[in-house]
Amino acid sequence: MLKGKEIVLGVTGGIAAYKAVELLRLFTKAGANVHVVMTRSATEFVTPLTFQTLSMNPVSTKLFSLVSEREIGHISLADRADLVVIAPATANVIGKLAHGIADDLLTTTVMATKAPVLLAPAMNVNMYQNPLYRANEAALRRLGYLFADPVRGTLACGWEGEGKLQEPGIIFEEVLSALAPKDLAGESLLVTAGPTREELDPVRFISNHSSGKMGYAIARSARRRGAAVTLVTGPSSLEPPYGVDTVPVVSAAEMRQAVLERFPACSIIVKAAAVADYRPAVRAEEKMKKTGETLALSLEKTGDILAELGRLKGERLLVGFAAETENLLENARQKLEGKNLDLIVANDLSQEGAGFDVDTNRVTLLYRDGHAEEIPLMGKGELADRLLDRIVALRARV
Ligand code: CTP
């Protein structure tokens, strides 16, 4: 996700400095090259050696170092950074930046960089609410500095309240957003994901192997790219994506209702859910008892949500998925036309690494003009971005 990216991670002197270690791990795991810059007081909390070992780069602490000025001096760091993130950012460093003070390597690097700067404040609740701090934060926001807001909790100083460093996983998510193109800004995207469950009785249901991974990946990437995202999801063990309005549903009927309620406000709809086509004609009130050697279930059709949206779509862009085990392109094209879609993602479930409950997928995109585009095997996160690239291009045409 961050392959080829150069990140400067600034660490300032607060007890939350140890959490910057976890953030560094997330960056390096995602493929980024990270240069850690510590303020003098940060080194009182965590040693530079920890960051140096994990980043595999020298850690800079001094403004002027005769040995390394050429390679890691402030200008060189400022120039090479794709993004500067300061976590934790104390009231002191935020105050300095707001007033243009550059008296150490970190503040000098921030002053000299043209890269986006993300600040993750952490401080005592009274400091956080101090009008001086608030004015400094507001001034930086006006200048385009980004913030990963602190959360409420028990603070290291014993106080309860706002000022606790945001979770490293969420700071990481904000970094991905800061680096993503904002080509979906102004769009309102509705994504469906996961399976549905159709109950037979209080303990049994009919469902399928969908995990929700594809739809969740689309929702996550779309938010990073600036869209307002609603995710209507069937039962899934995945974490709701950060910053996405997640609406959990169980059955096809519930999914239909949730989608129809939200669809009028949306400009783009992506239906990645594996919706049940049939549900038990009757749901038994009590647990069904074992009787004869065989049991025949009577099923009735559920409503086809996508086909219904196809009739109502107007100017909206409608994207469907087709899960097939045979005649992939033929069947998918029929669904594209029959349901009045702009684009369909044809998923061949018989291919290795494709389809349900795996982290990868290999698909063919079919367009209205008859054009077909094969997308090779790749991670579902990367595929989500490819699909959104095509959606952006289609939206540009309307
Ligand atoms: N879909 C839907 N409502 C349903 C069934 C399917 O909205 N009741 C949507 C799915 O979310 C997907 C698309 O229709 O985007 C295609 O789903 P798929 O299961 O591949 O096809 P079906 O139309 O159900 O046809 P079949 O099961 O016969 O292949």
Side-chain angles (χ1 to χ4, degrees):
M1 277 184 285
L2 292 174
K3 230 185 203 135
K5 297 287 181 203
E6 299 276 338
I7 292 183
V8 171
L9 171 59
V11 184
T12 65
I15 186 64
Y18 75 95
K19 291 192 185 163
V21 176
E22 199 181 328
L23 188 57
L24 168 60
R25 293 290 289 155
L26 292 173
F27 289 150
T28 52
K29 264 205 234 156
N33 188 25
V34 188
H35 302 273
V36 177
V37 178
M38 301 178 78
T39 59
R40 198 190 45 75
S41 48
T43 63
E44 306 275 340
F45 289 93
V46 185
T47 66
L49 187 61
T50 307
F51 289 107
Q52 184 155 315
T53 312
L54 294 172
S55 69
M56 294 193 290
N57 279 318
V59 169
S60 323
T61 51
K62 292 198 179 77
L63 184 51
F64 299 112
S65 156
L66 288 180
V67 192
S68 55
E69 182 57 23
R70 246 182 70 77
E71 286 119 53
I72 53 162
H74 61 282
I75 299 301
S76 146
L77 278 175
D79 285 350
R80 73 161 73 164
D82 290 300
L83 180 115
V84 179
V85 50
I86 306 184
T90 55
N92 180 47
V93 80
I94 288 168
K96 281 199 218 169
L97 293 176
H99 290 87
I101 297 170
D103 64 351
D104 59 12
L105 181 61
L106 181 58
T107 47
T108 317
T109 303
V110 173
M111 279 284 274
T113 193
K114 293 202 157 173
V117 179
L118 174 74
L119 303 168
M123 64 196 75
N124 162 275
V125 57
N126 295 331
M127 289 171 87
Y128 187 63
Q129 286 166 358
N130 188 309
L132 281 171
Y133 171 79
R134 302 245 62 100
N136 291 338
E137 181 183 315
L140 290 173
R141 280 189 194 271
R142 277 195 300 276
L143 292 170
Y145 284 73
L146 304 167
F147 280 81
D149 293 327
V151 291
R152 297 185 72 81
T154 307
L155 306 174
C157 51
W159 282 76
E160 183 78 26
E162 253 178 325
K164 203 172 144 82
L165 183 73
Q166 182 58 270
E167 285 304 316
I170 290 176
I171 301 174
F172 179 70
E173 188 57 46
E174 294 290 14
V175 164
L176 295 178
S177 297
L179 290 169
K182 290 291 169 277
D183 49 6
L184 284 169
E187 301 284 8
S188 180
L189 203 105
L190 175 67
V191 187
T192 68
T196 63
R197 268 184 200 170
E198 311 303 324
E199 294 190 352
L200 281 159
D201 69 12
V203 297
R204 303 181 180 94
F205 56 81
I206 299 175
S207 191
N208 59 63
H209 290 297
S210 170
S211 60
K213 284 178 183 164
M214 193 64 241
Y216 277 58
I218 294 167
R220 213 176 288 118
S221 298
R223 186 205 93 93
R224 288 177 195 148
R225 293 168 72 151
V229 184
T230 303
L231 172 67
V232 175
T233 173
S236 165
S237 59
L238 303 174
E239 277 283 305
Y242 174 69
V244 167
D245 177 19
T246 303
V247 183
V249 295
V250 178
S251 64
E254 281 177 27
M255 182 171 280
R256 175 178 173 274
Q257 195 190 340
V259 166
L260 289 182
E261 272 169 22
R262 288 160 181 85
F263 147 87
C266 292
S267 53
I268 302 168
I269 298 100
V270 182
K271 279 220 88 251
V275 188
D277 291 328
Y278 293 90
R279 68 173 152 246
V282 249
R283 176 192 180 277
E285 283 296 316
E286 306 299 337
K287 184 180 168 219
M288 287 161 66
K289 285 306 205 187
K290 176 164 67 212
T291 47
E293 285 307 307
T294 59
L295 171 71
L297 291 174
S298 173
L299 303 177
E300 65 183 17
K301 246 189 173 166
T302 59
D304 189 318
I305 308 166
L306 192 56
E308 203 168 340
L309 295 182
R311 290 190 288 275
L312 302 169
K313 81 191 261 276
E315 293 299 296
R316 297 173 188 86
L317 193 98
L318 200 52
V319 180
F321 274 67
E324 307 292 346
T325 55
E326 56 179 355
N327 303 329
L328 177 72
L329 299 184
E330 217 172 287
N331 286 338
R333 184 152 305 281
Q334 259 176 31
K335 287 176 191 170
L336 174 82
E337 278 159 21
K339 301 191 191 195
N340 192 25
L341 312 179
D342 297 283
L343 168 61
I344 195 157
V345 184
N347 222 324
D348 186 346
L349 299 182
S350 64
Q351 296 257 347
E352 196 163 326
F356 291 165
D357 209 16
V358 285
D359 291 324
T360 54
N361 211 348
R362 174 202 313 241
V363 301
T364 305
L365 305 182
L366 299 180
Y367 298 85
R368 277 210 91 102
D369 61 7
H371 175 59
E373 181 188 9
E374 259 190 62
I375 310 274
L377 188 72
M378 61 178 69
K380 284 184 173 168
E382 205 183 337
L383 177 60
D385 269 316
R386 289 279 189 103
L387 178 62
L388 291 173
D389 289 345
R390 305 305 184 266
I391 288 175
V392 167
L394 287 174
R395 282 292 286 169
R397 274 193 233 160
V398 292

